[in-house]
Every structure is written in structure tokens, then in C-alpha cells.
């Protein structure tokens, strides 16, 4: 993809914020049971499992893939407890109707994805650490499976190009449905706010400020066995939030939600970025990985508009998350709750009536049942693209053209032929001015 093509295709989808294929192959499933397989059943995977069941009770979990057996058992327990609360005395019966994965269709290891894809699943939910997302999406599409892919969908430029150049067209050509986990696109109040911006209620957009300051440094959700050391691949996967190659860093892993909201509201992608960042000096290294604890990036758009983007995860600091879009006639104040417009035509939304984490799966299952086009991979990849470019600028402290990241960067963070028993030396924390762009 050259710069001219990039600029032509950089505009984001409005309304529901999806890039739809022009056609869909095959009839919908109608009222049939939708068969779902999960690859990754940690905290977010378990949450997605419950969200899916709440979105459509007419599904079956037919297969599961994990690295660690205890997480499958914990997910089953949490689902059973959730259904027990929801259905009172009928929870166990409902659980038996939904959870159909057996010992023969529950797989462990880095190759679990390959075995899951041999089952009769209609949809595969990919909820592993982000470093695996791109290759897992590729395998699912080649196997003819619909996909739920948690964000981010890529962690480096090599994976990004794979998505743009190969996987988006592959999904479209096969008529497969892909839902990516940027769930704020399904928040009804935010949808209305973006529509009002599109209709000119705040005038021409001139700037935006999106900050996400968190009060703790995230590194992992589970205790790590004491026999593992930081240079063990298994250690790094268990503590995946702390390592750059596994997570993509906070700006790609978590802050991509906020970038996605900003880009959706602005309606186009930036062309340049300059950034800086660092790491709280008392975060243990290498035990707590090699990533930054704060990133601050200034994005510039071709029409002169700008986006100030900043994220931070540092212990004992104040949480703060204002999302503001400034126009010539007003300001949009976005949030995960109510939305407001200040200025010539003030407005305030109602609260979202149903959680967006459920609404996104309703959209996916509805498309599968109706046989309608549904592919959000390009839109999510756009936001990951902007996040990756911002991260690299923050690490290097350099001003970058985003087209350079897409066309020239050879960064490939994820090792080939990875084994859980491998050793992988922990990289040094990047230093602005010394970090080498590749």
C-alpha cells in the first residue's frame, strides 16, 4: 500500500463504524444453534464467554483451547455461577445446554488453535495475548471460520500489513464475519454523538484531546509459578501485559479503545505523529517487563487538525480520562457513560441502556443468523495502526510519517516457531533518542 492509496483509504466508517464487504457468501444460520469455540479463557476470555451467552442464549460452546488447564475450569465455574444467578434454580440445566465442550474438544498448548479449527465451530473467539492475534485470525479465515477477535488485532508493522493486504480481503472474499473487540462502537450514546458530529453540530473539527491515566501498572492477572524466571517464554506469556512483544505496550493494548473513539469521531486518520514517554523508575525490571508506563503522542491530520493522545499506568497516581473533540461551533465531551455537546447547539445523551460488551456480540450473531455482511477488521486495524505509529514515535522521540510505518517499517516483534519452554532474553526498556526505528 503506497502513500497515495493509504490517504485514499484512510477515512473511517461512520455510523456503526464498520467497514463492510460488498457482499456475503452463504445463507444465514437463522434460528439454528451457533457453535462457538474459545481460544483463550483467562479473565477477558471468560468475560467474553459470559457476554456472548447474554447476547444470544441459542449458542453452544463446542470447543476450547488454552495454555493452562486451570483457566478452562475457572471459566466454566464462572459461567455456571453467572447462569445460576440469572436463572435461579435452572442454572445448572442452562449450563449443560450451553457448555458442550468435552475432554475430546478441549485442547492445551500453543497449537491448541489448530485442533480447535478441526471442530464444527461456526465462530472462533480469539482472546489470547495480542501477539498471537494476527496469526490466529489468519488460521481461522483459512479454515472458513467466523471470528471474534479481541483488540488489538496486531502489535507491529509486519502484522499490520498482513491484516491490510491479506486478511481483510480474505474475509471479504469468503463472506466471513469478523467482530473486533473495540466495543465502544456499539455504545448507543456514543453512536448518537458521532452522528451529531457528522451532521455538523460542532462545526469543523480542529483538535481533540484524549487522555487515559490509570492508577496502577498492569502486568498480569495471575500469579506466576516461582520456578519461572523473566527470561522464560512462559513467564512472559503469563505476565503478557508487561512485555512489549506480547502486548504491544499500553498504547496499543488498552489505549487503542480511546484512539478508536477519537478516530471514529474525527472521521479520518492522521498523517504524522511525534511523541515521548518513559517508565516509572521504581517498576521492577525485568520482573515487570520492558514496556513504558506512559506515552504521550501528538498526531497531525492533513487538514491541519490535531489529536493529543496520552496514556499512563503508574501506581499511586490519579485516574483521569477526559475525551474531548473541539469544533468551530462546539465541543463534544465523550465518555464511557453519558455524552455531551457544549456550544451553539448543546446536547446531552441518555445512558447506554445495554452494555456494549453484549451489544457487540448481538451484532455478530445477528449477521451470522441473517447472512448479512459484517467485517470490522479494517476499522480495528486502522486504530491499531495509529497506536503502533504512536508507540514507535514515543519510544524513539522522533517525528514520524504514518505512511513510513505502514510501508517501510520492518518491525517484527513476535518470534517464529515459539515454544512455551523457550528462553527469550528480556529487552531493554526503550530510551528516547537512543531507540532504533526499524
Amino acid at each position: 500500500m503506497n502513500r497515495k492509496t493509504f490517504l485514499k483509504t484512510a477515512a473511517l466508517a461512520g455510523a456503526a463504524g464498520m467497514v463492510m464487504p460488498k457482499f456475503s457468501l452463504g445463507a444465514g444460520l437463522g434460528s439454528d444453534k451457533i457453535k462457538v469455540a474459545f481460544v483463550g479463557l483467562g479473565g477477558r476470555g471468560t468475560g467474553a464467554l459470559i457476554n456472548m451467552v447474554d447476547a444470544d442464549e441459542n449458542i453452544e460452546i463446542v470447543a476450547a483451547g488454552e495454555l493452562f488447564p486451570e483457566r478452562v475450569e475457572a471459566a466454566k465455574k464462572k459461567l455456571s455461577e453467572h447462569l445460576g444467578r440469572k436463572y435461579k434454580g435452572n442454572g445448572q440445566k442452562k449450563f449443560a445446554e450451553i457448555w458442550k465442550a468435552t475432554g475430546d474438544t478441549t485442547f492445551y498448548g500453543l497449537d491448541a488453535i489448530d485442533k480447535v479449527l478441526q471442530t464444527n465451530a461456526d465462530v472462533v473467539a480469539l482472546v489470547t495475548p495480542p501477539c498471537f492475534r494476527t496469526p490466529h485470525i489468519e488460521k481461522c479465515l483459512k479454515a472458513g471460520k467466523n471470528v471474534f477477535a479481541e483488540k488489538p488485532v496486531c502489535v507491529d508493522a509486519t502484522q499490520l500489513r498482513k491484516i491490510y493486504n491479506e486478511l481483510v480481503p480474505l474475509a471479504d472474499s469468503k463472506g466471513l464475519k469478523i467482530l473486533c473487540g473495540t466495543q465502544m462502537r456499539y455504545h448507543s450514546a456514543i453512536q448518537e454523538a458521532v452522528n451529531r458530529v457528522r451532521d455538523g453540530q460542532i462545526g469543523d473539527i480542529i483538535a481533540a484531546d484524549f487522555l487515559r491515566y490509570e492508577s496502577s501498572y498492569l502486568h498480569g492477572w495471575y500469579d506466576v509459578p516461582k520456578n519461572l524466571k523473566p527470561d522464560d517464554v512462559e513467564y512472559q506469556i503469563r505476565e503478557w501485559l508487561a512485555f512489549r512483544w506480547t502486548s504491544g505496550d499500553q498504547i496499543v493494548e488498552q489505549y487503542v479503545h480511546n484512539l478508536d473513539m477519537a478516530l471514529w469521531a474525527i472521521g479520518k486518520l492522521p498523517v504524522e505523529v511525534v511523541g515521548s514517554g518513559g517508565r516509572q523508575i521504581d517498576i521492577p525490571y525485568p520482573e515487570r517487563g520492558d514496556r513504558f508506563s506512559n506515552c504521550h503522542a501528538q498526531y497531525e491530520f492533513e487538514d491541519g487538525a490535531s489529536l493529543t493522545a496520552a496514556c499512563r499506568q503508574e501506581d499511586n497516581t490519579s485516574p483521569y480520562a477526559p475525551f474531548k473533540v473541539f469544533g468551530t461551533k462546539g465541543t463534544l465531551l465523550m465518555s464511557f457513560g453519558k455524552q455531551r455537546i457544549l456550544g451553539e447547539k448543546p446536547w446531552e445523551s441518555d445512558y447506554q441502556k445495554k452494555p456494549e460488551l453484549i451489544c457487540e456480540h448481538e451484532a455478530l450473531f445477528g449477521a451470522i443468523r441473517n447472512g448479512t455482511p459484517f467485517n470490522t477488521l479494517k476499522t480495528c486495524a486502522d486504530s491499531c495502526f495509529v497506536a503502533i505509529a504512536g508507540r514507535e514515535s514515543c519510544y524513539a522521540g522522533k517525528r514520524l510519517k504514518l505512511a513510513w510505518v505502514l510501508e517501510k517499517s520492518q518491525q517484527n516483534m513476535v518470534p517464529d516457531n515459539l515454544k512455551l519452554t523457550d528462553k527469550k532474553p528480556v529487552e531493554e526498556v526503550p530510551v528516547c533518542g537512543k531507540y532504533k526505528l526499524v
Side-chain angles (χ1 to χ4, degrees):
M1 182 182 292
N2 59 33
R3 183 176 185 273
K4 185 179 291 185
T5 304
F6 159 71
L7 290 174
K8 286 182 179 178
T9 60
L12 301 181
M18 303 170 193
V19 176
M20 294 294 197
K22 294 179 180 178
F23 56 89
S24 178
L25 303 179
L29 287 179
S31 60
D32 292 350
K33 290 277 188 183
I34 294 177
K35 297 177 175 62
V36 180
F38 268 80
V39 181
L41 277 167
R44 180 75 277 273
T46 301
L49 169 63
I50 292 171
N51 299 148
M52 280 191 175
V53 171
D54 285 344
D56 191 329
E57 296 175 1
N58 197 23
I59 68 171
E60 294 177 342
I61 311 304
V62 299
E66 243 295 346
L67 290 179
F68 310 114
E70 67 274 11
R71 296 189 185 174
V72 176
E73 295 307 311
K76 290 166 63 177
K77 183 174 183 290
K78 287 186 178 179
L79 176 60
S80 179
E81 291 171 347
H82 174 74
L83 293 172
R85 290 189 296 270
K86 187 173 181 179
Y87 294 99
K88 309 303 181 188
N90 294 318
Q92 285 302 313
K93 178 183 177 183
K94 198 67 180 176
F95 176 82
E97 292 174 358
I98 292 172
W99 188 273
K100 298 296 185 180
T102 66
D104 291 334
T105 59
T106 302
F107 310 103
Y108 301 104
L110 289 172
D111 63 346
I113 178 74
D114 301 312
K115 298 169 183 176
V116 163
L117 292 176
Q118 296 175 25
T119 70
N120 63 344
D122 302 306
V123 182
V124 180
L126 303 176
V127 206
T128 63
C131 56
F132 302 115
R133 196 80 71 246
T134 300
H136 283 184
I137 293 171
E138 180 177 20
K139 288 184 176 187
C140 288
L141 296 180
K142 288 182 175 179
K145 305 293 187 182
N146 301 296
V147 174
F148 166 61
E150 186 52 89
K151 57 75 203 163
V153 295
C154 52
V155 297
D156 58 37
T158 300
Q159 291 188 344
L160 177 70
R161 282 192 292 271
K162 166 77 74 170
I163 288 175
Y164 277 147
N165 298 337
E166 299 178 33
L167 302 190
V168 172
L170 178 61
D172 287 352
S173 69
K174 290 190 170 189
L176 294 169
K177 325 300 180 191
I178 304 182
L179 168 68
C180 299
T182 43
Q183 73 269 8
M184 304 316 292
R185 297 267 175 166
Y186 305 87
H187 189 296
S188 60
I190 298 178
Q191 289 175 349
E192 182 177 356
V194 172
N195 286 338
R196 287 173 178 270
V197 171
R198 293 283 183 276
D199 290 340
Q201 192 161 335
I202 67 169
D204 296 329
I205 294 172
I206 54 177
D209 290 346
F210 276 65
L211 312 183
R212 184 163 185 171
Y213 291 164
E214 302 286 354
S215 59
S216 61
Y217 178 86
L218 300 181
H219 51 90
W221 304 114
Y222 301 91
D223 292 335
V224 176
K226 293 183 179 179
N227 63 303
L228 295 177
K229 304 301 179 187
D231 64 347
D232 290 320
V233 164
E234 182 177 344
Y235 181 106
Q236 294 177 29
I237 289 176
R238 286 179 179 270
E239 291 279 275
W240 64 268
L241 284 158
F243 292 90
R244 287 183 280 142
W245 76 272
T246 47
S247 71
D249 209 321
Q250 181 200 0
I251 191 172
V252 176
E253 192 282 321
Q254 182 189 61
Y255 186 71
V256 71
H257 277 306
N258 309 86
L259 273 177
D260 188 66
M261 291 169 63
L263 297 171
W264 183 19
I266 295 169
K268 54 198 166 194
L269 301 186
V271 294
E272 292 186 1
V273 61
V274 63
S276 187
R279 177 181 170 106
Q280 205 170 30
I281 60 173
D282 60 352
I283 296 173
Y285 171 89
E287 293 81 6
R288 292 293 178 262
D290 57 6
R291 71 171 178 87
F292 275 7
S293 61
N294 64 82
C295 288
H296 307 267
Q298 184 76 6
Y299 295 95
E300 302 294 336
F301 295 80
E302 198 166 42
D303 63 359
S306 64
L307 166 62
T308 299
C311 57
R312 183 195 69 202
Q313 290 178 355
E314 293 178 351
D315 294 342
N316 303 312
T317 59
S318 297
Y320 184 52
F323 316 139
K324 302 177 182 180
V325 182
F326 303 100
T328 54
K329 298 180 180 179
T331 300
L332 169 62
L333 304 180
M334 304 179 77
S335 76
F336 297 140
K338 281 190 171 187
Q339 319 302 309
R340 288 196 299 155
I341 289 178
L342 309 178
E344 293 180 11
K345 298 179 179 179
W347 165 79
E348 182 174 297
S349 76
D350 295 326
Y351 282 107
Q352 169 89 336
K353 292 181 173 60
K354 184 184 291 186
E356 56 278 357
L357 284 166
I358 296 174
C359 294
E360 64 176 352
H361 295 295
E362 289 179 339
L364 172 63
F365 292 143
I368 291 171
R369 293 197 182 283
N370 297 326
T372 51
F374 190 92
N375 181 1
T376 67
L377 184 57
K378 165 67 165 60
T379 304
C380 189
D382 285 342
S383 297
C384 293
F385 170 29
V386 175
I388 289 167
R391 178 193 68 205
E392 293 302 295
S393 179
C394 289
Y395 286 172
K398 302 291 187 182
R399 188 178 185 91
L400 298 179
K401 299 281 189 183
L402 269 75
W404 178 88
V405 175
L406 186 64
E407 298 169 13
K408 303 293 186 182
S409 174
Q410 299 304 305
Q411 186 180 51
N412 187 350
M413 300 169 71
V414 184
D416 294 327
N417 304 314
L418 192 69
K419 296 179 181 178
L420 201 60
T421 55
D422 284 349
K423 292 283 188 179
K424 188 179 187 305
V426 181
E427 296 187 21
E428 295 294 326
V429 177
V431 176
C432 288
K434 296 183 179 180
Y435 177 82
K436 300 299 183 183
L437 295 166
V438 294

